[in-house]
Amino acid sequence: QKLCDRVASSTLLDDRRDAVRALKSLSKKYRLEVGIQAMEHLIHVLQTDRSDSEIIGYALDTLYNVISNDLEEEEQEENSAKQVDDLGSQFTEIFIKQQENVTLLLTLVEEFDFHVRWPGVKLLTSLLKQQGPQVQQIILVSPMGVSRLMDLLADSREVIRNDGVLLLQQLTKSNAAIQKIVAFENAFERLLDIITEEGNSDGGIVVEDCLLLLQNLLKNNNSNQNFFKEGSYIQRMKPWFEVGDDNCGWSAQKVTNLHLMLQLVRVLVSPTNPPGATSSCQKAMFHCGLLQQLCTILMATGVPADILTETINTVSEVIRGCQTNQDYFASVNAPSNPPRPAIVVLLMSMVNERQPFVLRCAVLYCFQCFLYKNQKGQGEIVSTLLPSTIDATGNSVSAGQLLCGGLFSTDSLSNWCAAVALAHALQENATLKEQLLRVQLATSIGNPPVSLLQQCTNILSQGSKVQTRVGLLMLLCTWLSNCSIAVTHFLHNPANVPFLTGQIAENLGEEEQLVQGLCALLLGISIYYNDNSLENYRKEKLKQLIEKRIGRENFIEKLGFISKHELYSRAAQKPQPSFSSPDHMMFDHEFTKLVKELEGVISKAIYKSSEEDKKEEEVKKTLEQHDNIVTHYKKVIREQDQELEELKQRINTLTSQNEQLQATVTQQVSQIQQHKDQYNLLKVQLGKDTQHHNSHSDTFQINGIQTEEVSKLKEELEEWKNKHEILQGQLREKDSVIDKLNSSQLEMGTTEQSLQSSKSGGLEHNSELQKELEMLRSQIQLQSAEISKLQMENQKLQVMNATADPVLQDSGTTAATNSELEARLEQEIKDLKNEVKALSEEKESLKQHLDSSSSTVAILQDEKSKLQREVAESKKEQDDLLVLLADQDQKISALKIKLKDLGVPVEDEDDIESGDQGDEDEDGDEEEQD
């Protein structure tokens, strides 16, 4: 009381802190007193003294000691444990009555200070342990409540992180809403990281806590399971199951961790999950190699028995109903010499009475899961029993031989397990039920072989243990249900029906009531699935036998013993066979489904009269006939539908081909038209050019000079020009000679004057000079003679030059007009030559263009004729198809009329189809007109 007053009234923080510390030390021993008197003051401290982490830490520790039962439970005796629970629960109720207290605590947990955060986490965990649902609801409605707690997983201090995991364990218990929030706050990623950091299965208790939290999040929570699969977290589970060659000396913690890891896998593939979710998880486990890893553990040596058992159960559920996984499991071999299939090795354990009971149950579950919805696997198991496939050498033991050995061994548990396993091999498979009738067993040397069915009934009649008889009766009921041939074989043995009626009619003890109920069920199956092929055991006779020997009411009462049995109710709950002891191993889960299905129909069948049976049989026969007829017509209609679809597709392809051909024809026609236009244009241009050429020739004729005359004149003119040039050259040479002579004459004159002047100067040279003068005079005379000759020749040349113009003087009178005409003629001739040359080149190019155009036109005409032929052929094929369609429509309409007469509802689509055909015909007519 004093301490509480100090906490409430002290103004100094140190005083209040000391008082709270003192309360903390008292709170462990005097829980009740501190809780009653100090709780209110401590909550007040949390609200007002948040600035001081030390006092807050003390206050939280004190509240934890008051509310938590952990410490007290260690000290208290067993008789006072209930009182302790009540105390913690009551204090929790007081604390959470004000929701603000929990919100305040969430705020304190956000503090990073170790002395505040750690006690806050522990207190909140304790509150959740005491009043889980109420505290969960408060946290759920508080803003960001769950998210704030998720931050604990990211704390670098391991103590807080580990206690945070424990807190989240309590928080997520049985609350799907919080589980979803925690999962979407990235819990899977963080927890898997922690497990990896701690060393997977070799880790400590932290790994165990993380696995328990993961189980909370995933168990019965389809949303989180889907999120776990979609997030590729299944792949991260594979390293958990990596085991070495030497598996001796596993620690207890490793065994616990591995056990929880296997359970987590089972949570994802549990048969109670939605089938779609289970199937997708099974496929993911196969593709990531998890199933292969589990099978390695299954076949490894030195693995502890409880881990091996749980691994078998896990593999069972991973392969259950998944064909891919079942096929893989069938291919797994044990590492023996020679290698044996894993299934055979497991069955050897199941029928070995020295093996632990839980292990044998696990193997049976594994075998059941392997055969569940696996007709291929069922066929392989049954085939090992058939005469054609049994290994004559006896070197290897098959699954079928092991099951038969177990079925007829002295151990009743082996009998039951083998019978149930064989029943699963026949489940919902009528073909295998018939094939199993072929199985023959050699009982002893010298005696003829006995059928498996006969041997089962022989053991039943020998009065073996209840467990053995229950197993054999379940096998026989499964075998005979929905298989008339098996019923006939069973009834063919005259001892079977009397044995069953005797068992049912007796008033036996409570243990035998179960056998009586199963005998009633077997007899009821023999009546319900009887095809009346045996005269002595027709339905009516068997009913009369029941009426006389047992009584209908008594028979129905005994039949009801099965479903009223406690062990039946347990087996009906889940597929896995889980029994507290071998004595409780009586019913199989799949068999309970068969009982539910048959109990009602057998009761009705027993009370039916023979007339009702006959009527029912007649109705069945007529229904079968009708079904056969309907099936036949459905098949015919399906075939015709397929044919129609094919024809429609062909029509579509032909139509598209036709459209393409028409498009090409149109294109070709347009090209031809273009070429025609070009051709016409060239023709017009060519006509203009010829007219121009003709006009030129006309002008030549108008001038009076033909082209031939022009060429002759040109040649003559050239000749005269050459002659003229030669004469001109000769004339120039003569002129040069004359010029030379003139110049020499002048020189002679000057020399003569110089001689006359020198006469007076010197007489001694006179005679010599006269001689020279005479010589010079003679030379001058000779030269003057030559000059006269040359002048004569010059005159002659001038005369000849004058006489060279007579041809041109015919067209004109003077020399001037002659030269002008010559120039004009030369110019015109040149122009005409150029024009003729240009015209001839243009003509050649036009001729080439015309030739190429005509060849293109010829090619296009050939292509056009080909396309027209193809169009005609496609139209012909369309007409044939339309005729075929019309025939098919007539057949379909006739069949529909027949079906209507038989009372089968048929959709009337004739109008639509006829409308479509009409449109197609019109399209065809338009194409023909085109």
Side-chain angles (χ1 to χ4, degrees), residues 55 139 153 170 208-209 468 487 506 513 516 583 758 780 786 862 887:
I55 192 170
I139 292 171
L153 294 180
Q170 297 299 326
E208 182 184 340
D209 292 337
T468 303
V487 171
E506 284 182 28
Q513 283 183 351
Q516 284 185 316
D583 297 334
S758 65
I780 287 164
E786 280 181 4
D862 289 339
D887 292 342

Side-chain angles (χ1 to χ4, degrees), residues 625-642:
Q625 287 174 357
H626 279 301
D627 287 343
N628 291 336
I629 293 164
V630 169
T631 309
H632 173 68
Y633 279 117
K634 277 181 180 176
K635 190 179 176 184
V636 171
I637 289 166
R638 203 177 294 113
E639 287 172 0
Q640 289 186 346
D641 282 343
Q642 286 176 356

Side-chain angles (χ1 to χ4, degrees), residues 109-377:
V109 166
E110 274 191 292
E111 294 287 335
F112 187 72
D113 193 315
F114 182 81
H115 296 292
V116 176
R117 197 172 209 184
W118 189 41
V121 170
K122 290 198 293 180
L123 176 57
L124 195 53
T125 307
S126 188
L127 291 173
L128 282 161
K129 279 182 182 175
Q130 302 297 338
Q131 297 284 342
Q134 292 89 326
V135 179
Q136 282 174 341
Q137 204 55 38
I138 295 166
I139 292 171
L140 196 57
V141 297
S142 67
M144 297 292 289
V146 178
S147 302
R148 281 189 262 184
L149 297 176
M150 282 301 299
D151 293 338
L152 296 170
L153 294 180
D155 200 303
S156 57
R157 295 160 296 193
E158 284 194 9
V159 178
I160 293 176
R161 184 198 69 184
N162 298 345
D163 280 354
V165 173
L166 294 172
L167 168 59
L168 289 169
Q169 269 185 35
Q170 297 299 326
L171 181 66
T172 53
K173 269 186 183 174
S174 309
N175 192 311
I178 292 176
Q179 287 166 4
K180 285 179 187 176
I181 295 167
V182 170
F184 282 99
E185 287 284 346
N186 210 19
F188 294 138
E189 185 78 38
R190 292 181 186 180
L191 292 169
L192 291 169
D193 286 343
I194 293 169
I195 292 169
T196 308
E197 285 167 21
E198 294 290 324
N200 294 328
S201 59
D202 293 317
I205 197 165
V206 180
V207 172
E208 182 184 340
D209 292 337
C210 288
L211 290 166
L212 287 167
L213 177 51
L214 282 169
Q215 276 195 25
N216 280 0
L217 294 172
L218 291 170
K219 200 166 188 177
N220 301 322
N221 192 320
N222 300 329
S223 170
N224 281 4
Q225 286 173 9
N226 191 46
F227 182 62
F228 191 83
K229 180 185 74 69
E230 294 297 331
S232 301
Y233 296 119
I234 289 175
Q235 287 84 323
R236 292 187 63 178
M237 296 167 79
K238 187 191 170 188
W240 296 354
F241 304 105
E242 289 174 358
V243 293
D245 297 327
D246 184 21
N247 297 305
C248 301
W250 283 11
S251 66
Q253 187 61 56
K254 179 167 183 173
V255 171
T256 306
N257 289 348
L258 210 51
H259 208 275
L260 287 169
M261 286 168 175
L262 290 165
Q263 284 180 353
L264 195 63
V265 175
R266 290 184 67 185
V267 164
L268 294 168
V269 290
S270 170
T272 55
N273 292 347
T278 301
S279 176
S280 58
C281 286
Q282 286 172 331
K283 286 173 186 171
M285 285 173 185
F286 174 74
H287 290 303
C288 77
L290 181 58
L291 174 60
Q292 292 85 326
Q293 205 69 50
L294 291 171
C295 289
T296 308
I297 297 174
L298 202 65
M299 294 293 116
T301 52
V303 177
D306 53 345
I307 291 296
L308 184 61
T309 305
E310 191 61 25
T311 305
I312 293 169
N313 286 328
T314 308
V315 169
S316 308
E317 291 182 355
V318 173
I319 66 171
R320 188 176 191 268
C322 179
Q323 190 67 53
T324 313
N325 295 6
Q326 287 166 339
D327 290 345
Y328 170 75
F329 184 68
S331 69
V332 174
N333 285 325
S336 59
N337 192 19
R340 284 178 175 169
I343 296 167
V344 171
V345 175
L346 290 171
L347 286 175
M348 288 169 81
S349 302
M350 186 183 79
V351 296
N352 185 352
E353 55 189 295
R354 288 193 295 274
Q355 292 291 346
F357 172 64
V358 284
L359 181 66
R360 295 172 77 180
C361 288
V363 172
L364 176 63
Y365 184 45
C366 186
F367 192 70
Q368 290 174 351
C369 290
F370 170 66
L371 297 176
Y372 183 70
K373 290 184 179 178
N374 181 11
Q375 293 200 343
K376 183 184 172 187

Side-chain angles (χ1 to χ4, degrees), residues 654-709:
L654 287 169
T655 310
S656 61
Q657 283 177 6
N658 191 15
E659 286 172 358
Q660 286 175 2
L661 290 169
Q662 281 181 347
T664 30
V665 166
T666 313
Q667 196 177 350
Q668 297 287 351
V669 167
S670 64
Q671 284 180 359
I672 289 164
Q673 192 60 43
Q674 284 175 7
H675 287 304
K676 276 183 180 178
D677 294 343
Q678 287 176 4
Y679 175 69
N680 292 331
L681 191 65
L682 289 168
K683 211 171 180 181
V684 170
Q685 285 179 357
L686 196 62
K688 283 181 181 178
D689 292 341
T690 49
Q691 283 176 10
H692 182 65
H693 188 58
N694 291 335
S695 65
H696 273 293
S697 64
D698 291 344
T699 54
F700 291 148
Q701 286 173 2
I702 289 161
N703 290 330
I705 299 164
Q706 295 294 336
T707 53
E708 292 175 1
E709 291 173 357

Side-chain angles (χ1 to χ4, degrees), residues 543-612:
K543 284 183 195 176
Q544 288 172 3
L545 192 67
I546 289 170
E547 183 65 36
K548 286 178 185 174
R549 297 272 180 92
I550 306 162
R552 288 179 184 174
E553 288 77 11
N554 193 20
F555 179 86
I556 299 299
E557 185 187 347
K558 297 286 171 76
L559 185 63
F561 283 165
I562 303 171
S563 55
K564 288 173 186 172
H565 204 282
E566 183 190 352
L567 296 174
Y568 173 90
S569 305
R570 281 189 202 169
Q573 287 171 5
K574 58 179 180 176
Q576 185 184 356
S578 55
F579 306 100
S580 54
S581 70
D583 297 334
H584 291 157
M585 206 170 191
M586 288 293 175
F587 283 110
D588 170 53
H589 177 75
E590 290 297 324
F591 181 72
T592 60
K593 292 181 182 177
L594 183 70
V595 172
K596 281 179 191 173
E597 184 187 328
L598 293 177
E599 193 174 8
V601 293
I602 289 171
S603 301
K604 286 179 184 176
I606 295 297
Y607 281 106
K608 273 182 188 171
S609 63
S610 57
E611 291 176 3
E612 286 176 344

Side-chain angles (χ1 to χ4, degrees), residues 720 723-724 727 798-809:
W720 286 113
K723 286 178 181 179
H724 182 68
L727 292 169
Q798 283 177 355
V799 170
M800 281 175 72
N801 196 12
T803 56
D805 299 327
V807 179
L808 293 172
Q809 282 175 0

Side-chain angles (χ1 to χ4, degrees), residues 636-655 881 884-885 888-889 892 909 913 916-917 920:
V636 171
I637 289 166
R638 203 177 294 113
E639 287 172 0
Q640 289 186 346
D641 282 343
Q642 286 176 356
E643 287 175 11
L644 274 172
E645 282 299 319
E646 287 172 8
L647 289 169
K648 280 178 182 176
Q649 285 175 1
R650 280 187 65 190
I651 287 168
N652 289 334
T653 51
L654 287 169
T655 310
L881 288 171
L884 278 170
L885 280 172
Q888 289 296 331
D889 284 339
I892 287 166
E909 296 176 358
E913 289 179 3
D916 291 342
Q917 286 182 359
E920 287 171 3

